[in-house]
Amino acid sequence: MSPVAERVGEEAHDAAGPGAAAPGPRSGGHRDAGATAGSGPAPVVLLHGVGLDRTVWADVEERLTGREVLALDLPGHGAQPPLTSPVTLQDLADDVVGRLPEGPVHLVGFSLGALIAQRIAAAAPERVLSLTCVSAVCSRTPEEAEAVRGRLETARSDFRASMERAVDRWFPGDVAGNRERRDRTREVLLANDVESYLHAYAVFAVGDREVAPELPRITAPTLAITGELDPGSTPEMTDRLADSIGGARRRVVPGVRHMLPVEAPDALVGELTELITEAEGARHD
């Protein structure tokens, strides 16, 4: 068991208190605990990005019907206990694996969640029936690496200002319909434990370099998808990711920035459903 998994498991049990009910599965819903998949289609597991929580997937969950959908809070996020010491990408992946349902799943990761999903798909291919990497970073250039280090330093020195800049990058104020998205996202970001956020963001800042050598080992059918206007997880990064994983498909959604699950859930679910259908067809051939 990883240090994160051990610490999270113990603290979550203590926080729940005696007699607390465990979340249960529901079609199109979430279950944030290790559990057993039923006899139906393989479940879809959704992993969000740094500083967010499982609610970022709400519009996607509504559109994924006919199978179980599990949106997990990453370690240190949402309902999970905060991270109190530095962690690694492997620590985060081990924690997530410990909360997956039994059997293979369709694994979908967004941003930091995509790095975790890649690590799991490379190390435990028997657990991943298909892999979808949403708005994923990959092999950052020196300039791109410097930019993400700068954002980490800003978060350390002025957390609130850093979160406001993230909202501005993701949802420009002059775009129609963004006000509600900005408000909702700002609320989630500012609810973070600052130390925990910094530990998670430190993993995000270097995780692409750490997982890059493992990408060719991924054998699951893979989709790499991002927004045309994403300034941090660029279409060029999606090309790099798809080039690194044999047979991966690449998709760029026109007119969309970083928050693809919120901005373009229909496009995302359409591509995801196509991948799932093909992966399950290949599995039964």
Side-chain angles (χ1 to χ4, degrees), residues 26 28-33 44-48 53-58 61 68-74 99 108:
R26 59 188 176 89
H30 64 257
R31 171 182 58 190
D32 201 1
V44 178
V45 176
L46 307 170
L47 308 178
H48 61 79
D53 63 19
R54 64 193 183 195
T55 62
V56 76
W57 296 109
E61 290 182 272
E68 187 178 355
V69 182
L70 314 179
L72 301 182
D73 281 327
L74 297 184
R99 291 186 283 137
V108 183

mmCIF file with all atom_site columns, all heavy atoms in Angstrom, residues 26 28-33 44-48 53-58 61 68-74 99 108:
data_model
loop_
_atom_site.group_PDB
_atom_site.id
_atom_site.type_symbol
_atom_site.label_atom_id
_atom_site.label_alt_id
_atom_site.label_comp_id
_atom_site.label_asym_id
_atom_site.label_entity_id
_atom_site.label_seq_id
_atom_site.pdbx_PDB_ins_code
_atom_site.Cartn_x
_atom_site.Cartn_y
_atom_site.Cartn_z
_atom_site.occupancy
_atom_site.B_iso_or_equiv
_atom_site.pdbx_formal_charge
_atom_site.auth_seq_id
_atom_site.auth_comp_id
_atom_site.auth_asym_id
_atom_site.auth_atom_id
_atom_site.pdbx_PDB_model_num
ATOM 1   N N   . ARG A 1 26  ? -24.401 3.904  -8.684  1.00 0.00 ? 26  ARG A N   1
ATOM 2   C CA  . ARG A 1 26  ? -25.646 4.143  -9.389  1.00 0.00 ? 26  ARG A CA  1
ATOM 3   C C   . ARG A 1 26  ? -25.303 4.414  -10.838 1.00 0.00 ? 26  ARG A C   1
ATOM 4   O O   . ARG A 1 26  ? -24.248 4.951  -11.143 1.00 0.00 ? 26  ARG A O   1
ATOM 5   C CB  . ARG A 1 26  ? -26.433 5.309  -8.793  1.00 0.00 ? 26  ARG A CB  1
ATOM 6   C CG  . ARG A 1 26  ? -25.698 6.640  -8.784  1.00 0.00 ? 26  ARG A CG  1
ATOM 7   C CD  . ARG A 1 26  ? -26.483 7.684  -8.008  1.00 0.00 ? 26  ARG A CD  1
ATOM 8   N NE  . ARG A 1 26  ? -25.759 8.938  -7.903  1.00 0.00 ? 26  ARG A NE  1
ATOM 9   C CZ  . ARG A 1 26  ? -25.832 9.922  -8.774  1.00 0.00 ? 26  ARG A CZ  1
ATOM 10  N NH1 . ARG A 1 26  ? -26.568 9.773  -9.850  1.00 0.00 ? 26  ARG A NH1 1
ATOM 11  N NH2 . ARG A 1 26  ? -25.164 11.032 -8.608  1.00 0.00 ? 26  ARG A NH2 1
ATOM 12  N N   . GLY A 1 28  ? -24.844 6.246  -14.053 1.00 0.00 ? 28  GLY A N   1
ATOM 13  C CA  . GLY A 1 28  ? -24.710 7.672  -14.316 1.00 0.00 ? 28  GLY A CA  1
ATOM 14  C C   . GLY A 1 28  ? -24.323 8.467  -13.101 1.00 0.00 ? 28  GLY A C   1
ATOM 15  O O   . GLY A 1 28  ? -24.345 9.678  -13.128 1.00 0.00 ? 28  GLY A O   1
ATOM 16  N N   . GLY A 1 29  ? -23.959 7.807  -11.996 1.00 0.00 ? 29  GLY A N   1
ATOM 17  C CA  . GLY A 1 29  ? -23.603 8.507  -10.784 1.00 0.00 ? 29  GLY A CA  1
ATOM 18  C C   . GLY A 1 29  ? -22.168 8.260  -10.409 1.00 0.00 ? 29  GLY A C   1
ATOM 19  O O   . GLY A 1 29  ? -21.330 8.021  -11.248 1.00 0.00 ? 29  GLY A O   1
ATOM 20  N N   . HIS A 1 30  ? -21.883 8.343  -9.074  1.00 0.00 ? 30  HIS A N   1
ATOM 21  C CA  . HIS A 1 30  ? -20.518 8.123  -8.647  1.00 0.00 ? 30  HIS A CA  1
ATOM 22  C C   . HIS A 1 30  ? -20.484 7.259  -7.405  1.00 0.00 ? 30  HIS A C   1
ATOM 23  O O   . HIS A 1 30  ? -21.438 7.167  -6.663  1.00 0.00 ? 30  HIS A O   1
ATOM 24  C CB  . HIS A 1 30  ? -19.815 9.463  -8.373  1.00 0.00 ? 30  HIS A CB  1
ATOM 25  C CG  . HIS A 1 30  ? -20.429 10.220 -7.238  1.00 0.00 ? 30  HIS A CG  1
ATOM 26  N ND1 . HIS A 1 30  ? -21.244 11.293 -7.438  1.00 0.00 ? 30  HIS A ND1 1
ATOM 27  C CD2 . HIS A 1 30  ? -20.347 10.039 -5.893  1.00 0.00 ? 30  HIS A CD2 1
ATOM 28  C CE1 . HIS A 1 30  ? -21.645 11.766 -6.270  1.00 0.00 ? 30  HIS A CE1 1
ATOM 29  N NE2 . HIS A 1 30  ? -21.108 11.024 -5.312  1.00 0.00 ? 30  HIS A NE2 1
ATOM 30  N N   . ARG A 1 31  ? -19.354 6.630  -7.194  1.00 0.00 ? 31  ARG A N   1
ATOM 31  C CA  . ARG A 1 31  ? -19.118 5.864  -5.988  1.00 0.00 ? 31  ARG A CA  1
ATOM 32  C C   . ARG A 1 31  ? -17.655 6.061  -5.657  1.00 0.00 ? 31  ARG A C   1
ATOM 33  O O   . ARG A 1 31  ? -16.775 5.637  -6.389  1.00 0.00 ? 31  ARG A O   1
ATOM 34  C CB  . ARG A 1 31  ? -19.407 4.374  -6.227  1.00 0.00 ? 31  ARG A CB  1
ATOM 35  C CG  . ARG A 1 31  ? -18.982 3.482  -5.070  1.00 0.00 ? 31  ARG A CG  1
ATOM 36  C CD  . ARG A 1 31  ? -19.252 2.026  -5.386  1.00 0.00 ? 31  ARG A CD  1
ATOM 37  N NE  . ARG A 1 31  ? -18.556 1.630  -6.596  1.00 0.00 ? 31  ARG A NE  1
ATOM 38  C CZ  . ARG A 1 31  ? -18.773 0.470  -7.214  1.00 0.00 ? 31  ARG A CZ  1
ATOM 39  N NH1 . ARG A 1 31  ? -19.672 -0.368 -6.765  1.00 0.00 ? 31  ARG A NH1 1
ATOM 40  N NH2 . ARG A 1 31  ? -18.090 0.159  -8.308  1.00 0.00 ? 31  ARG A NH2 1
ATOM 41  N N   . ASP A 1 32  ? -17.361 6.768  -4.579  1.00 0.00 ? 32  ASP A N   1
ATOM 42  C CA  . ASP A 1 32  ? -15.979 7.110  -4.268  1.00 0.00 ? 32  ASP A CA  1
ATOM 43  C C   . ASP A 1 32  ? -15.434 6.181  -3.202  1.00 0.00 ? 32  ASP A C   1
ATOM 44  O O   . ASP A 1 32  ? -15.119 6.571  -2.098  1.00 0.00 ? 32  ASP A O   1
ATOM 45  C CB  . ASP A 1 32  ? -15.885 8.565  -3.799  1.00 0.00 ? 32  ASP A CB  1
ATOM 46  C CG  . ASP A 1 32  ? -14.473 9.097  -3.961  1.00 0.00 ? 32  ASP A CG  1
ATOM 47  O OD1 . ASP A 1 32  ? -13.622 8.337  -4.450  1.00 0.00 ? 32  ASP A OD1 1
ATOM 48  O OD2 . ASP A 1 32  ? -14.232 10.247 -3.589  1.00 0.00 ? 32  ASP A OD2 1
ATOM 49  N N   . ALA A 1 33  ? -15.358 4.899  -3.528  1.00 0.00 ? 33  ALA A N   1
ATOM 50  C CA  . ALA A 1 33  ? -14.806 3.912  -2.602  1.00 0.00 ? 33  ALA A CA  1
ATOM 51  C C   . ALA A 1 33  ? -14.458 2.678  -3.407  1.00 0.00 ? 33  ALA A C   1
ATOM 52  O O   . ALA A 1 33  ? -15.008 2.438  -4.473  1.00 0.00 ? 33  ALA A O   1
ATOM 53  C CB  . ALA A 1 33  ? -15.815 3.563  -1.509  1.00 0.00 ? 33  ALA A CB  1
ATOM 54  N N   . VAL A 1 44  ? -17.204 2.997  -16.202 1.00 0.00 ? 44  VAL A N   1
ATOM 55  C CA  . VAL A 1 44  ? -16.346 4.109  -16.589 1.00 0.00 ? 44  VAL A CA  1
ATOM 56  C C   . VAL A 1 44  ? -15.902 4.806  -15.314 1.00 0.00 ? 44  VAL A C   1
ATOM 57  O O   . VAL A 1 44  ? -16.729 5.159  -14.467 1.00 0.00 ? 44  VAL A O   1
ATOM 58  C CB  . VAL A 1 44  ? -17.090 5.107  -17.500 1.00 0.00 ? 44  VAL A CB  1
ATOM 59  C CG1 . VAL A 1 44  ? -16.196 6.293  -17.848 1.00 0.00 ? 44  VAL A CG1 1
ATOM 60  C CG2 . VAL A 1 44  ? -17.580 4.424  -18.765 1.00 0.00 ? 44  VAL A CG2 1
ATOM 61  N N   . VAL A 1 45  ? -14.598 5.011  -15.163 1.00 0.00 ? 45  VAL A N   1
ATOM 62  C CA  . VAL A 1 45  ? -14.052 5.693  -13.995 1.00 0.00 ? 45  VAL A CA  1
ATOM 63  C C   . VAL A 1 45  ? -13.460 7.018  -14.449 1.00 0.00 ? 45  VAL A C   1
ATOM 64  O O   . VAL A 1 45  ? -12.642 7.066  -15.375 1.00 0.00 ? 45  VAL A O   1
ATOM 65  C CB  . VAL A 1 45  ? -12.984 4.833  -13.293 1.00 0.00 ? 45  VAL A CB  1
ATOM 66  C CG1 . VAL A 1 45  ? -12.356 5.608  -12.130 1.00 0.00 ? 45  VAL A CG1 1
ATOM 67  C CG2 . VAL A 1 45  ? -13.608 3.535  -12.780 1.00 0.00 ? 45  VAL A CG2 1
ATOM 68  N N   . LEU A 1 46  ? -13.867 8.100  -13.784 1.00 0.00 ? 46  LEU A N   1
ATOM 69  C CA  . LEU A 1 46  ? -13.495 9.455  -14.165 1.00 0.00 ? 46  LEU A CA  1
ATOM 70  C C   . LEU A 1 46  ? -12.583 10.074 -13.103 1.00 0.00 ? 46  LEU A C   1
ATOM 71  O O   . LEU A 1 46  ? -12.930 10.093 -11.912 1.00 0.00 ? 46  LEU A O   1
ATOM 72  C CB  . LEU A 1 46  ? -14.752 10.318 -14.317 1.00 0.00 ? 46  LEU A CB  1
ATOM 73  C CG  . LEU A 1 46  ? -15.850 9.774  -15.247 1.00 0.00 ? 46  LEU A CG  1
ATOM 74  C CD1 . LEU A 1 46  ? -17.120 10.618 -15.105 1.00 0.00 ? 46  LEU A CD1 1
ATOM 75  C CD2 . LEU A 1 46  ? -15.377 9.767  -16.689 1.00 0.00 ? 46  LEU A CD2 1
ATOM 76  N N   . LEU A 1 47  ? -11.441 10.594 -13.531 1.00 0.00 ? 47  LEU A N   1
ATOM 77  C CA  . LEU A 1 47  ? -10.468 11.224 -12.640 1.00 0.00 ? 47  LEU A CA  1
ATOM 78  C C   . LEU A 1 47  ? -10.307 12.686 -13.035 1.00 0.00 ? 47  LEU A C   1
ATOM 79  O O   . LEU A 1 47  ? -9.941  12.989 -14.178 1.00 0.00 ? 47  LEU A O   1
ATOM 80  C CB  . LEU A 1 47  ? -9.115  10.517 -12.731 1.00 0.00 ? 47  LEU A CB  1
ATOM 81  C CG  . LEU A 1 47  ? -9.105  8.995  -12.538 1.00 0.00 ? 47  LEU A CG  1
ATOM 82  C CD1 . LEU A 1 47  ? -7.695  8.449  -12.709 1.00 0.00 ? 47  LEU A CD1 1
ATOM 83  C CD2 . LEU A 1 47  ? -9.678  8.607  -11.182 1.00 0.00 ? 47  LEU A CD2 1
ATOM 84  N N   . HIS A 1 48  ? -10.551 13.590 -12.116 1.00 0.00 ? 48  HIS A N   1
ATOM 85  C CA  . HIS A 1 48  ? -10.546 15.027 -12.411 1.00 0.00 ? 48  HIS A CA  1
ATOM 86  C C   . HIS A 1 48  ? -9.130  15.609 -12.385 1.00 0.00 ? 48  HIS A C   1
ATOM 87  O O   . HIS A 1 48  ? -8.138  14.901 -12.212 1.00 0.00 ? 48  HIS A O   1
ATOM 88  C CB  . HIS A 1 48  ? -11.445 15.759 -11.410 1.00 0.00 ? 48  HIS A CB  1
ATOM 89  C CG  . HIS A 1 48  ? -10.990 15.619 -9.984  1.00 0.00 ? 48  HIS A CG  1
ATOM 90  N ND1 . HIS A 1 48  ? -9.956  16.350 -9.454  1.00 0.00 ? 48  HIS A ND1 1
ATOM 91  C CD2 . HIS A 1 48  ? -11.443 14.819 -8.979  1.00 0.00 ? 48  HIS A CD2 1
ATOM 92  C CE1 . HIS A 1 48  ? -9.785  16.024 -8.191  1.00 0.00 ? 48  HIS A CE1 1
ATOM 93  N NE2 . HIS A 1 48  ? -10.663 15.087 -7.872  1.00 0.00 ? 48  HIS A NE2 1
ATOM 94  N N   . ASP A 1 53  ? -12.658 18.777 -8.258  1.00 0.00 ? 53  ASP A N   1
ATOM 95  C CA  . ASP A 1 53  ? -13.185 17.589 -7.588  1.00 0.00 ? 53  ASP A CA  1
ATOM 96  C C   . ASP A 1 53  ? -14.081 16.849 -8.575  1.00 0.00 ? 53  ASP A C   1
ATOM 97  O O   . ASP A 1 53  ? -14.189 17.226 -9.737  1.00 0.00 ? 53  ASP A O   1
ATOM 98  C CB  . ASP A 1 53  ? -13.911 17.935 -6.278  1.00 0.00 ? 53  ASP A CB  1
ATOM 99  C CG  . ASP A 1 53  ? -15.140 18.820 -6.477  1.00 0.00 ? 53  ASP A CG  1
ATOM 100 O OD1 . ASP A 1 53  ? -15.664 18.891 -7.617  1.00 0.00 ? 53  ASP A OD1 1
ATOM 101 O OD2 . ASP A 1 53  ? -15.586 19.447 -5.510  1.00 0.00 ? 53  ASP A OD2 1
ATOM 102 N N   . ARG A 1 54  ? -14.715 15.800 -8.099  1.00 0.00 ? 54  ARG A N   1
ATOM 103 C CA  . ARG A 1 54  ? -15.463 14.924 -9.013  1.00 0.00 ? 54  ARG A CA  1
ATOM 104 C C   . ARG A 1 54  ? -16.663 15.615 -9.647  1.00 0.00 ? 54  ARG A C   1
ATOM 105 O O   . ARG A 1 54  ? -17.189 15.130 -10.655 1.00 0.00 ? 54  ARG A O   1
ATOM 106 C CB  . ARG A 1 54  ? -15.912 13.666 -8.274  1.00 0.00 ? 54  ARG A CB  1
ATOM 107 C CG  . ARG A 1 54  ? -16.890 13.894 -7.147  1.00 0.00 ? 54  ARG A CG  1
ATOM 108 C CD  . ARG A 1 54  ? -16.995 12.634 -6.310  1.00 0.00 ? 54  ARG A CD  1
ATOM 109 N NE  . ARG A 1 54  ? -17.981 12.775 -5.241  1.00 0.00 ? 54  ARG A NE  1
ATOM 110 C CZ  . ARG A 1 54  ? -18.068 11.942 -4.207  1.00 0.00 ? 54  ARG A CZ  1
ATOM 111 N NH1 . ARG A 1 54  ? -17.225 10.926 -4.108  1.00 0.00 ? 54  ARG A NH1 1
ATOM 112 N NH2 . ARG A 1 54  ? -18.987 12.110 -3.285  1.00 0.00 ? 54  ARG A NH2 1
ATOM 113 N N   . THR A 1 55  ? -17.105 16.760 -9.099  1.00 0.00 ? 55  THR A N   1
ATOM 114 C CA  . THR A 1 55  ? -18.266 17.442 -9.677  1.00 0.00 ? 55  THR A CA  1
ATOM 115 C C   . THR A 1 55  ? -17.981 18.021 -11.056 1.00 0.00 ? 55  THR A C   1
ATOM 116 O O   . THR A 1 55  ? -18.918 18.371 -11.780 1.00 0.00 ? 55  THR A O   1
ATOM 117 C CB  . THR A 1 55  ? -18.769 18.563 -8.752  1.00 0.00 ? 55  THR A CB  1
ATOM 118 O OG1 . THR A 1 55  ? -17.740 19.563 -8.588  1.00 0.00 ? 55  THR A OG1 1
ATOM 119 C CG2 . THR A 1 55  ? -19.146 18.005 -7.382  1.00 0.00 ? 55  THR A CG2 1
ATOM 120 N N   . VAL A 1 56  ? -16.694 18.133 -11.441 1.00 0.00 ? 56  VAL A N   1
ATOM 121 C CA  . VAL A 1 56  ? -16.380 18.640 -12.777 1.00 0.00 ? 56  VAL A CA  1
ATOM 122 C C   . VAL A 1 56  ? -16.943 17.728 -13.863 1.00 0.00 ? 56  VAL A C   1
ATOM 123 O O   . VAL A 1 56  ? -17.153 18.143 -15.006 1.00 0.00 ? 56  VAL A O   1
ATOM 124 C CB  . VAL A 1 56  ? -14.849 18.801 -12.945 1.00 0.00 ? 56  VAL A CB  1
ATOM 125 C CG1 . VAL A 1 56  ? -14.168 17.460 -13.148 1.00 0.00 ? 56  VAL A CG1 1
ATOM 126 C CG2 . VAL A 1 56  ? -14.519 19.741 -14.108 1.00 0.00 ? 56  VAL A CG2 1
ATOM 127 N N   . TRP A 1 57  ? -17.240 16.474 -13.498 1.00 0.00 ? 57  TRP A N   1
ATOM 128 C CA  . TRP A 1 57  ? -17.747 15.496 -14.451 1.00 0.00 ? 57  TRP A CA  1
ATOM 129 C C   . TRP A 1 57  ? -19.273 15.452 -14.519 1.00 0.00 ? 57  TRP A C   1
ATOM 130 O O   . TRP A 1 57  ? -19.822 14.590 -15.215 1.00 0.00 ? 57  TRP A O   1
ATOM 131 C CB  . TRP A 1 57  ? -17.242 14.102 -14.083 1.00 0.00 ? 57  TRP A CB  1
ATOM 132 C CG  . TRP A 1 57  ? -15.771 13.919 -14.170 1.00 0.00 ? 57  TRP A CG  1
ATOM 133 C CD1 . TRP A 1 57  ? -14.892 13.773 -13.133 1.00 0.00 ? 57  TRP A CD1 1
ATOM 134 C CD2 . TRP A 1 57  ? -14.980 13.847 -15.365 1.00 0.00 ? 57  TRP A CD2 1
ATOM 135 N NE1 . TRP A 1 57  ? -13.618 13.618 -13.604 1.00 0.00 ? 57  TRP A NE1 1
ATOM 136 C CE2 . TRP A 1 57  ? -13.637 13.650 -14.973 1.00 0.00 ? 57  TRP A CE2 1
ATOM 137 C CE3 . TRP A 1 57  ? -15.286 13.925 -16.728 1.00 0.00 ? 57  TRP A CE3 1
ATOM 138 C CZ2 . TRP A 1 57  ? -12.600 13.529 -15.894 1.00 0.00 ? 57  TRP A CZ2 1
ATOM 139 C CZ3 . TRP A 1 57  ? -14.248 13.811 -17.643 1.00 0.00 ? 57  TRP A CZ3 1
ATOM 140 C CH2 . TRP A 1 57  ? -12.931 13.616 -17.232 1.00 0.00 ? 57  TRP A CH2 1
ATOM 141 N N   . ALA A 1 58  ? -19.980 16.326 -13.821 1.00 0.00 ? 58  ALA A N   1
ATOM 142 C CA  . ALA A 1 58  ? -21.438 16.209 -13.715 1.00 0.00 ? 58  ALA A CA  1
ATOM 143 C C   . ALA A 1 58  ? -22.124 16.128 -15.079 1.00 0.00 ? 58  ALA A C   1
ATOM 144 O O   . ALA A 1 58  ? -23.002 15.276 -15.298 1.00 0.00 ? 58  ALA A O   1
ATOM 145 C CB  . ALA A 1 58  ? -21.993 17.377 -12.911 1.00 0.00 ? 58  ALA A CB  1
ATOM 146 N N   . GLU A 1 61  ? -21.335 12.760 -16.715 1.00 0.00 ? 61  GLU A N   1
ATOM 147 C CA  . GLU A 1 61  ? -22.072 11.662 -16.076 1.00 0.00 ? 61  GLU A CA  1
ATOM 148 C C   . GLU A 1 61  ? -23.516 11.588 -16.571 1.00 0.00 ? 61  GLU A C   1
ATOM 149 O O   . GLU A 1 61  ? -24.047 10.499 -16.804 1.00 0.00 ? 61  GLU A O   1
ATOM 150 C CB  . GLU A 1 61  ? -22.059 11.834 -14.564 1.00 0.00 ? 61  GLU A CB  1
ATOM 151 C CG  . GLU A 1 61  ? -20.710 11.595 -13.916 1.00 0.00 ? 61  GLU A CG  1
ATOM 152 C CD  . GLU A 1 61  ? -20.785 11.728 -12.410 1.00 0.00 ? 61  GLU A CD  1
ATOM 153 O OE1 . GLU A 1 61  ? -20.628 12.858 -11.906 1.00 0.00 ? 61  GLU A OE1 1
ATOM 154 O OE2 . GLU A 1 61  ? -21.018 10.710 -11.736 1.00 0.00 ? 61  GLU A OE2 1
ATOM 155 N N   . GLU A 1 68  ? -22.418 1.742  -15.357 1.00 0.00 ? 68  GLU A N   1
ATOM 156 C CA  . GLU A 1 68  ? -22.024 2.415  -14.132 1.00 0.00 ? 68  GLU A CA  1
ATOM 157 C C   . GLU A 1 68  ? -20.927 3.423  -14.418 1.00 0.00 ? 68  GLU A C   1
ATOM 158 O O   . GLU A 1 68  ? -20.005 3.153  -15.195 1.00 0.00 ? 68  GLU A O   1
ATOM 159 C CB  . GLU A 1 68  ? -21.532 1.375  -13.118 1.00 0.00 ? 68  GLU A CB  1
ATOM 160 C CG  . GLU A 1 68  ? -21.259 1.944  -11.739 1.00 0.00 ? 68  GLU A CG  1
ATOM 161 C CD  . GLU A 1 68  ? -20.814 0.886  -10.752 1.00 0.00 ? 68  GLU A CD  1
ATOM 162 O OE1 . GLU A 1 68  ? -20.803 -0.310 -11.127 1.00 0.00 ? 68  GLU A OE1 1
ATOM 163 O OE2 . GLU A 1 68  ? -20.454 1.261  -9.628  1.00 0.00 ? 68  GLU A OE2 1
ATOM 164 N N   . VAL A 1 69  ? -21.035 4.590  -13.811 1.00 0.00 ? 69  VAL A N   1
ATOM 165 C CA  . VAL A 1 69  ? -20.043 5.645  -13.958 1.00 0.00 ? 69  VAL A CA  1
ATOM 166 C C   . VAL A 1 69  ? -19.575 6.048  -12.562 1.00 0.00 ? 69  VAL A C   1
ATOM 167 O O   . VAL A 1 69  ? -20.396 6.387  -11.700 1.00 0.00 ? 69  VAL A O   1
ATOM 168 C CB  . VAL A 1 69  ? -20.617 6.866  -14.697 1.00 0.00 ? 69  VAL A CB  1
ATOM 169 C CG1 . VAL A 1 69  ? -19.544 7.937  -14.872 1.00 0.00 ? 69  VAL A CG1 1
ATOM 170 C CG2 . VAL A 1 69  ? -21.199 6.464  -16.051 1.00 0.00 ? 69  VAL A CG2 1
ATOM 171 N N   . LEU A 1 70  ? -18.276 5.998  -12.336 1.00 0.00 ? 70  LEU A N   1
ATOM 172 C CA  . LEU A 1 70  ? -17.714 6.310  -11.033 1.00 0.00 ? 70  LEU A CA  1
ATOM 173 C C   . LEU A 1 70  ? -16.787 7.506  -11.154 1.00 0.00 ? 70  LEU A C   1
ATOM 174 O O   . LEU A 1 70  ? -15.748 7.423  -11.817 1.00 0.00 ? 70  LEU A O   1
ATOM 175 C CB  . LEU A 1 70  ? -16.914 5.119  -10.485 1.00 0.00 ? 70  LEU A CB  1
ATOM 176 C CG  . LEU A 1 70  ? -17.558 3.738  -10.571 1.00 0.00 ? 70  LEU A CG  1
ATOM 177 C CD1 . LEU A 1 70  ? -16.611 2.682  -10.016 1.00 0.00 ? 70  LEU A CD1 1
ATOM 178 C CD2 . LEU A 1 70  ? -18.871 3.726  -9.827  1.00 0.00 ? 70  LEU A CD2 1
ATOM 179 N N   . ALA A 1 71  ? -17.165 8.623  -10.565 1.00 0.00 ? 71  ALA A N   1
ATOM 180 C CA  . ALA A 1 71  ? -16.309 9.808  -10.545 1.00 0.00 ? 71  ALA A CA  1
ATOM 181 C C   . ALA A 1 71  ? -15.623 9.860  -9.188  1.00 0.00 ? 71  ALA A C   1
ATOM 182 O O   . ALA A 1 71  ? -16.278 10.011 -8.165  1.00 0.00 ? 71  ALA A O   1
ATOM 183 C CB  . ALA A 1 71  ? -17.135 11.064 -10.785 1.00 0.00 ? 71  ALA A CB  1
ATOM 184 N N   . LEU A 1 72  ? -14.314 9.716  -9.182  1.00 0.00 ? 72  LEU A N   1
ATOM 185 C CA  . LEU A 1 72  ? -13.551 9.668  -7.934  1.00 0.00 ? 72  LEU A CA  1
ATOM 186 C C   . LEU A 1 72  ? -12.919 11.017 -7.627  1.00 0.00 ? 72  LEU A C   1
ATOM 187 O O   . LEU A 1 72  ? -12.435 11.704 -8.526  1.00 0.00 ? 72  LEU A O   1
ATOM 188 C CB  . LEU A 1 72  ? -12.432 8.624  -8.028  1.00 0.00 ? 72  LEU A CB  1
ATOM 189 C CG  . LEU A 1 72  ? -12.823 7.182  -8.320  1.00 0.00 ? 72  LEU A CG  1
ATOM 190 C CD1 . LEU A 1 72  ? -11.571 6.306  -8.312  1.00 0.00 ? 72  LEU A CD1 1
ATOM 191 C CD2 . LEU A 1 72  ? -13.825 6.666  -7.302  1.00 0.00 ? 72  LEU A CD2 1
ATOM 192 N N   . ASP A 1 73  ? -12.902 11.383 -6.355  1.00 0.00 ? 73  ASP A N   1
ATOM 193 C CA  . ASP A 1 73  ? -12.073 12.490 -5.905  1.00 0.00 ? 73  ASP A CA  1
ATOM 194 C C   . ASP A 1 73  ? -10.634 12.002 -5.800  1.00 0.00 ? 73  ASP A C   1
ATOM 195 O O   . ASP A 1 73  ? -10.364 10.952 -5.195  1.00 0.00 ? 73  ASP A O   1
ATOM 196 C CB  . ASP A 1 73  ? -12.532 12.993 -4.534  1.00 0.00 ? 73  ASP A CB  1
ATOM 197 C CG  . ASP A 1 73  ? -13.761 13.882 -4.613  1.00 0.00 ? 73  ASP A CG  1
ATOM 198 O OD1 . ASP A 1 73  ? -13.912 14.609 -5.604  1.00 0.00 ? 73  ASP A OD1 1
ATOM 199 O OD2 . ASP A 1 73  ? -14.565 13.847 -3.660  1.00 0.00 ? 73  ASP A OD2 1
ATOM 200 N N   . LEU A 1 74  ? -9.698  12.747 -6.367  1.00 0.00 ? 74  LEU A N   1
ATOM 201 C CA  . LEU A 1 74  ? -8.292  12.399 -6.248  1.00 0.00 ? 74  LEU A CA  1
ATOM 202 C C   . LEU A 1 74  ? -7.831  12.583 -4.805  1.00 0.00 ? 74  LEU A C   1
ATOM 203 O O   . LEU A 1 74  ? -8.443  13.332 -4.041  1.00 0.00 ? 74  LEU A O   1
ATOM 204 C CB  . LEU A 1 74  ? -7.450  13.278 -7.167  1.00 0.00 ? 74  LEU A CB  1
ATOM 205 C CG  . LEU A 1 74  ? -7.693  13.153 -8.673  1.00 0.00 ? 74  LEU A CG  1
ATOM 206 C CD1 . LEU A 1 74  ? -6.696  14.039 -9.425  1.00 0.00 ? 74  LEU A CD1 1
ATOM 207 C CD2 . LEU A 1 74  ? -7.594  11.713 -9.146  1.00 0.00 ? 74  LEU A CD2 1
ATOM 208 N N   . ARG A 1 99  ? -9.056  2.148  -5.026  1.00 0.00 ? 99  ARG A N   1
ATOM 209 C CA  . ARG A 1 99  ? -10.485 2.489  -4.967  1.00 0.00 ? 99  ARG A CA  1
ATOM 210 C C   . ARG A 1 99  ? -11.232 2.151  -6.258  1.00 0.00 ? 99  ARG A C   1
ATOM 211 O O   . ARG A 1 99  ? -12.401 2.521  -6.415  1.00 0.00 ? 99  ARG A O   1
ATOM 212 C CB  . ARG A 1 99  ? -10.638 3.976  -4.638  1.00 0.00 ? 99  ARG A CB  1
ATOM 213 C CG  . ARG A 1 99  ? -10.209 4.312  -3.212  1.00 0.00 ? 99  ARG A CG  1
ATOM 214 C CD  . ARG A 1 99  ? -10.493 5.753  -2.850  1.00 0.00 ? 99  ARG A CD  1
ATOM 215 N NE  . ARG A 1 99  ? -9.531  6.673  -3.439  1.00 0.00 ? 99  ARG A NE  1
ATOM 216 C CZ  . ARG A 1 99  ? -9.853  7.837  -4.004  1.00 0.00 ? 99  ARG A CZ  1
ATOM 217 N NH1 . ARG A 1 99  ? -11.098 8.210  -4.108  1.00 0.00 ? 99  ARG A NH1 1
ATOM 218 N NH2 . ARG A 1 99  ? -8.910  8.629  -4.485  1.00 0.00 ? 99  ARG A NH2 1
ATOM 219 N N   . VAL A 1 108 ? -10.816 7.244  -17.545 1.00 0.00 ? 108 VAL A N   1
ATOM 220 C CA  . VAL A 1 108 ? -10.831 8.568  -18.162 1.00 0.00 ? 108 VAL A CA  1
ATOM 221 C C   . VAL A 1 108 ? -10.169 9.546  -17.202 1.00 0.00 ? 108 VAL A C   1
ATOM 222 O O   . VAL A 1 108 ? -10.625 9.706  -16.066 1.00 0.00 ? 108 VAL A O   1
ATOM 223 C CB  . VAL A 1 108 ? -12.271 9.032  -18.462 1.00 0.00 ? 108 VAL A CB  1
ATOM 224 C CG1 . VAL A 1 108 ? -12.262 10.387 -19.177 1.00 0.00 ? 108 VAL A CG1 1
ATOM 225 C CG2 . VAL A 1 108 ? -13.019 7.986  -19.276 1.00 0.00 ? 108 VAL A CG2 1
#
